[in-house]
Amino acid sequence: MTTPQLPLSFRFAARTRFQHFLAGDNAPVVAAVEALAHETEDFVGILLAGPEGSGKTHLASALVQTAAEVRFLPLRSLGDKALLAIETAPEQGLVVIDDIDALAGRRLEEIAMFDLFNRLKAARARLLVTSSELPNRLPIHLPDLLSRLASLAQHRLRPLPEFEIRTVLVDRARDRGLSLSGEVLDFLLRRYPRNLGALIQLIDQLDVASMAAQRRLTVPFVRRVIEGGQS
């Protein structure tokens, strides 16, 4: 039975399971992350790097929703509560840490994360860490923490090619009963090139706006929604 331990008031975004992730060239990375859902006899840790919108939070969320006995630490969302969440994280099962960049320069949180890493390794637990960059480019100050992160198996998500991004957006729109023309897709991709996360959020926003205004998606209408007017 899947029993993720989540921060209060946390909700997963819609369609953030493994089956909703278009892997493309990232198939080996997705397989490695998904394998963390299964128990092992030794410590296993992965650092998953990628820019905003690359899908790393999607994969972290998918893993949390798949595995049993998992603690999820979405550090950017936790804000000032991050330190307590790190200090009280369990030493067994699976720990998923999203956006470790959020700790950069926060000494107490960096030390607590270093201690958590050591506890997880001693307990032969499993660990997934997501970040915007690989360890050698992270702005974390504590050298010992950087060393521990560098010891993890490191994977970088490759950006999807444009034709696959188009497929994802068309499918997302179709699921919501929307029709995306080639003209509208071209406009969206000029505004948000390669940022799939932002584009998916925009499709959801356009769905709400389209229903409220009883309008189909045209470039002028989409432009007004983006700029804050839905009339």
Side-chain angles (χ1 to χ4, degrees):
M1 180 180 178
T2 301
T3 54
Q5 300 177 50
L6 304 173
L8 291 177
S9 302
F10 185 84
R11 296 291 183 273
F12 290 111
R15 295 176 62 81
T16 52
R17 297 278 188 168
F18 284 112
Q19 63 265 34
H20 303 136
F21 191 86
L22 183 59
D25 292 338
N26 294 307
V29 178
V30 176
V33 172
E34 193 167 5
L36 285 175
H38 309 295
E39 294 185 10
T40 62
E41 295 182 355
D42 203 353
F43 173 77
V44 179
I46 290 176
L47 184 139
L48 181 63
E52 182 181 357
S54 62
K56 59 185 183 294
T57 295
H58 181 141
L59 291 177
S61 300
L63 180 60
V64 172
Q65 294 175 85
T66 301
E69 293 188 44
V70 54
R71 172 67 65 88
F72 187 37
L73 304 179
L75 298 182
R76 201 169 303 282
S77 300
L78 286 170
D80 293 340
K81 299 177 182 178
L83 178 59
L84 179 61
I86 297 166
E87 291 177 336
T88 58
E91 300 170 5
Q92 71 281 343
L94 170 67
V95 175
V96 176
I97 299 166
D98 195 27
D99 289 325
I100 199 166
D101 318 57
L103 298 185
R106 295 162 60 175
R107 180 170 175 78
L108 292 179
E109 285 89 340
E110 289 189 8
I111 292 172
M113 185 61 68
F114 172 72
D115 291 341
L116 174 59
F117 187 103
N118 291 336
R119 289 189 282 117
L120 293 172
K121 191 168 185 179
R124 299 181 178 181
R126 289 158 288 145
L127 173 65
L128 174 69
V129 177
T130 77
S131 67
S132 61
E133 295 286 353
L134 295 175
N136 63 342
R137 298 192 65 181
L138 284 174
I140 288 174
H141 294 182
L142 187 64
D144 287 340
L145 177 56
L146 284 173
S147 175
R148 294 296 186 272
L149 293 173
S151 72
L152 301 175
Q154 298 176 33
H155 298 281
R156 179 181 285 279
L157 285 169
R158 298 181 182 180
L160 289 176
E162 184 175 309
F163 79 92
E164 290 188 338
I165 291 177
R166 287 175 176 267
T167 297
V168 172
L169 297 180
V170 169
D171 288 347
R172 180 77 167 204
R174 183 183 298 116
D175 287 346
R176 288 181 165 273
L178 296 173
S179 176
L180 281 182
S181 68
E183 184 181 18
V184 170
L185 273 171
D186 291 342
F187 174 76
L188 295 179
L189 290 169
R190 286 196 300 270
R191 296 292 296 258
Y192 301 95
R194 296 295 182 93
N195 192 329
L196 185 57
L199 286 164
I200 288 175
Q201 289 180 3
L202 183 55
I203 294 298
D204 295 345
Q205 180 185 353
L206 290 173
D207 176 44
V208 174
S210 175
M211 290 182 63
Q214 293 294 297
R215 295 279 299 276
R216 64 185 182 88
L217 298 186
T218 63
V219 170
F221 178 73
V222 170
R223 181 183 289 112
R224 284 196 293 272
V225 172
I226 292 174
E227 294 173 354
Q230 299 181 11
S231 61

